Structures are given as structure tokens and as C-alpha cells.
Amino acid sequence: MPDHDDLTTKSKDAKLPPPEAASEAKSLKDQRIFSDELEAIPTVVPREGDGYRGKGRGGPIGEAGRHLTNDDLQRINTRKGLIQLLQQRNVDLEEVRKTLLYEEELKCLQVELVRLQRWVQSSGRRIAIIVEGRDAAGKGGTIRRFTEHLNPRAMRVVALPKPTEQERGQWYFQRYIQQLPNKGEIVFFDRSWYNRAVVEPVMGFCTRKEHQRFLQQVTEFEHMLYEDGVTLIKFWFSISKGEQQRRFEARRTNPLKQWKLSQVDEKAQDLWDSYTRFKEEMFSKTHTTFSPWIIVKANDKQAARLESLRYVLNLLPYKGKEEAQVRLAPDPNIITRYHRRMDELDF
């Protein structure tokens, strides 16, 4: 068998093709594009919860196995070529359009949130935003859209763990009082003192007496905050039972989201009616003119996020509001104020 040096010598002695033949061969090769010769260029993965999933083969854009070839990149330089490519890949064009519009709206609203925060800082206002709702209703994702471009020095997210033994011996509101906003600060509560209104009685974490005492005291507590100048905004994110089940299943199959599933979550479907009963009692006894409940229809995550941002921006008289280049009035089909004649509270 010839060694490496012999092969090298024979390669040097081989007759080279004329330049014209080489050029023609290259042209033919360029015209015949084979998929196994193309460089795989991964796409940018859409932000979790905001992207779309293609129908049929291939799964979502950005998933393993989905890539753009050199031929694809040439085609997307034209509008017609881009549409043809998306159609061939079984991508829902309407979902793509919706996602692009969502991202643009979100960016504009987040610009307004930065203006809002500057006004809060300069005016010394104190803003507390409570985000409540059933498990998997999209509370955390909405808070992230609120906060991702705000100055962290004048903003906090509060998500307290279960109380310690020492905290169990305190007045129930005591540990939450320590988390209230300071002058010039916005605080987001990812769940709040309203744990005692719904989750705790449903799961048996508090007694009936403790639950009833909470319902008697909470309106007085919030009225004191109101009189002291704290702006309190209370959101309830409402989803249907079927949508909650779909989101739980998505969490189980996604290794990056499995940490979100807890023992409480696992029981949420079985205890759906119990949650509903305590939630309705909470609304009826804690909805006030100075601290109303704002219900967000959250089956559509993107719409819920955008309209929640709009509600806060529309509510507060921040400087520069009149210059906004985006709609600030929330959609009444998504954002509704609780009233006692509402027949259905889960959408």
C-alpha cells in the first residue's frame, strides 16, 4: 500500500484541468445544490411564550433539526421568496405576523414604562402591583415583560416563599409590610397576601378562622395604604381549566420548565371548583373603590401581557404620556374591572 508521501507525489503529478473546464464544473455544481453539502445555520429561537409553532413536520422554528440553508438565505432576500419558503416549511404566516406585531407593540410599551419609572422616581410615588391568578396563568411571564428594561435600583419583584416558624407567629401582614415600596419605587408582588384568600384555604394551609379574619382585615389594611399615598394595583389573571391543563403538560415535557411544577400545581385541576369558590368569595369581599380587582383574560399570553402594561400606563399620570407612539387604553375585551354581576370569572 502506498504511503502518504507517495500519494502526495502522485497528486502533484496529476494533470490539472484547463481553467475553462474548472469554471464550467463549478457553475454546474452551484446549480445543483444538495442538502448534505449545505452549511446548517441555526435560526434565532423566539422568546419563550411569544413564538409560534409550525404545523406539520419539523416542529417550531429554532428547534433541533430545523435550520436555514444557503439556498434558503438567498431566497429570503425577496418578499416572494420568503413567503414561499415559509409556506414550504409549513409555517403559519398569520402566527408569524402576530408575533412580529406583538414584539413591536411590546417594545413601544416598554419604552413608556421607562418613562413611567422616571416619573415615579422624580415624584417620589410608591407603586405596588399585585399579580394574582391560578397556577400557570402567566403571572411570572407578565412581570418579566414589565421589568426587563426598568432600572433595578428603583424596582423590585417580591415572590416570598412559605413563611418560617417565626413568621407563622407574627401578624399575617407583617412580612408583607416589610416589602412595600419605598419612595420613588415600584414593587411587583408575584403572589401576595392574597395567598390566604384562595391558595391557603384550598390546600388546608390555614384554618377557617384565619381565613375569615384575613377577609375582615385586608380591606382595612389596603385602605391604610391608600390613605398613606401608596398606589395599589391588583391584577387577577384568569384562564380556563383546559388552558391550565395544556400549560401543565407543556411544563412536564419541557426540562427548562419542570421546576415550575409543584405539589400545589399537581392538585390544581382536581381542586378547580374549590379554587373557584374561594376566589369568588375573595372578589366579593375585597373589591373596593379604592382598591379594585382588575381581571385579565389570560388564555392568550401575548394579549394579556400587552393589555396589562397598557392598563398601568393608562392609569398613572406620568410625564410624557401624551407623547406616546402606542395605544395606552387597554382592550375592554381583555381587561375588565370586577363587578358583582359577573357570571363567569374564568375565561
Side-chain angles (χ1 to χ4, degrees):
M1 178 179 289
D3 58 20
H4 176 73
D5 291 337
D6 291 334
L7 291 174
T8 303
T9 302
K10 291 180 180 180
S11 176
K12 289 180 180 179
D13 294 339
K15 184 177 180 181
L16 297 176
E20 297 80 9
S23 177
E24 182 178 357
K26 183 178 183 301
S27 176
L28 289 173
K29 184 178 180 180
D30 289 343
Q31 293 175 18
R32 299 175 59 194
I33 300 177
F34 296 92
S35 59
D36 57 351
E37 295 178 346
L38 297 175
E39 179 185 2
I41 304 177
T43 61
V44 177
V45 180
R47 180 163 40 194
E48 178 58 40
D50 299 338
Y52 57 87
R53 290 189 171 273
K55 299 178 180 178
R57 62 184 177 85
I61 294 296
E63 191 176 65
R66 294 298 301 269
H67 57 269
L68 295 179
T69 65
N70 287 338
D71 186 41
D72 292 337
L73 292 176
Q74 294 177 5
R75 293 166 65 189
I76 64 176
N77 286 329
T78 66
R79 181 176 180 274
K80 182 178 179 180
L82 174 60
I83 294 176
Q84 289 178 345
L85 174 63
L86 293 176
Q87 290 175 335
Q88 289 178 5
R89 294 296 181 91
N90 295 318
V91 173
D92 190 330
L93 296 181
E94 180 59 27
E95 285 299 310
V96 174
R97 187 187 70 84
K98 179 183 175 183
T99 299
L100 293 175
L101 290 175
Y102 163 77
E103 291 289 349
E104 183 62 28
E105 284 281 293
L106 179 62
K107 178 181 177 181
C108 292
L109 291 171
Q110 288 174 333
V111 169
E112 295 303 310
L113 284 173
V114 172
R115 290 182 176 179
L116 170 66
Q117 187 185 39
R118 290 174 181 168
W119 170 78
V120 170
Q121 290 178 274
S122 62
S123 63
R125 296 290 291 268
R126 291 172 290 164
I127 312 295
I129 300 177
I130 288 176
V131 184
E132 289 283 353
R134 293 182 187 264
D135 300 311
K139 301 180 294 296
T142 298
I143 291 174
R144 284 194 296 273
R145 272 59 180 189
F146 266 104
T147 62
E148 62 184 343
H149 296 295
L150 297 183
N151 182 353
R153 295 182 179 86
M155 174 277 299
R156 283 183 291 122
V157 177
V158 177
L160 297 182
K162 65 180 183 180
T164 64
E165 285 297 326
Q166 183 180 22
E167 289 172 335
R168 288 193 184 98
Q170 298 173 349
W171 179 43
Y172 178 74
F173 294 96
Q174 189 167 334
R175 71 178 188 145
Y176 292 103
I177 289 174
Q178 300 173 14
Q179 303 297 334
L180 290 172
N182 299 309
K183 182 180 179 181
E185 189 178 39
I186 305 174
V187 174
F188 296 86
F189 286 88
D190 188 350
R191 293 200 180 277
S192 65
W193 47 84
Y194 280 100
N195 277 336
R196 179 143 292 183
V198 181
V199 176
E200 290 189 15
V202 169
M203 300 302 299
F205 297 155
C206 71
T207 65
R208 176 172 176 79
K209 184 177 180 180
E210 289 172 331
H211 174 243
Q212 292 301 313
R213 184 190 304 133
F214 168 83
L215 293 177
Q216 293 170 2
Q217 292 181 350
V218 66
T219 53
E220 298 176 9
F221 171 65
E222 291 175 358
H223 191 257
M224 286 189 287
L225 297 179
Y226 169 75
E227 287 186 323
D228 201 55
V230 176
T231 299
L232 181 62
I233 300 171
K234 300 190 303 191
F235 284 122
W236 178 272
F237 277 63
S238 183
I239 58 173
S240 65
K241 188 176 183 179
E243 180 62 22
Q244 184 188 62
Q245 179 63 26
R246 284 189 288 273
R247 294 182 186 182
F248 282 160
E249 290 301 322
R251 289 180 178 184
R252 290 189 184 95
T253 57
N254 187 337
L256 297 177
K257 285 189 171 185
Q258 288 174 356
W259 64 270
K260 291 186 175 184
L261 282 174
S262 66
Q263 294 181 349
V264 174
D265 296 334
E266 295 292 349
K267 297 179 180 179
Q269 286 277 294
D270 294 335
L271 297 173
W272 180 271
D273 293 338
S274 183
Y275 272 99
T276 299
R277 184 171 65 256
F278 280 102
K279 179 191 63 175
E280 290 176 347
E281 183 180 8
M282 176 193 73
F283 284 145
S284 66
K285 294 184 177 180
T286 65
H287 175 79
T288 60
T289 55
F290 55 84
S291 182
W293 276 106
I294 307 303
I295 299 176
V296 182
K297 297 181 182 180
N299 274 0
D300 185 329
K301 283 186 178 181
Q302 294 181 355
R305 292 166 182 170
L306 293 179
E307 300 310 316
S308 300
L309 268 63
R310 286 192 225 275
Y311 178 84
V312 172
L313 292 167
N314 189 61
L315 178 68
L316 299 173
Y318 65 94
K319 184 178 180 180
K321 182 175 181 177
E322 63 282 352
E323 301 171 6
Q325 300 299 309
V326 63
R327 174 174 62 85
L328 299 183
D331 185 345
N333 293 315
I334 298 173
I335 298 282
T336 58
R337 183 179 172 122
Y338 169 77
H339 57 84
R340 287 171 174 78
R341 293 185 180 181
M342 295 183 77
D343 296 326
E344 186 178 13
L345 297 176
D346 293 306
F347 304 94

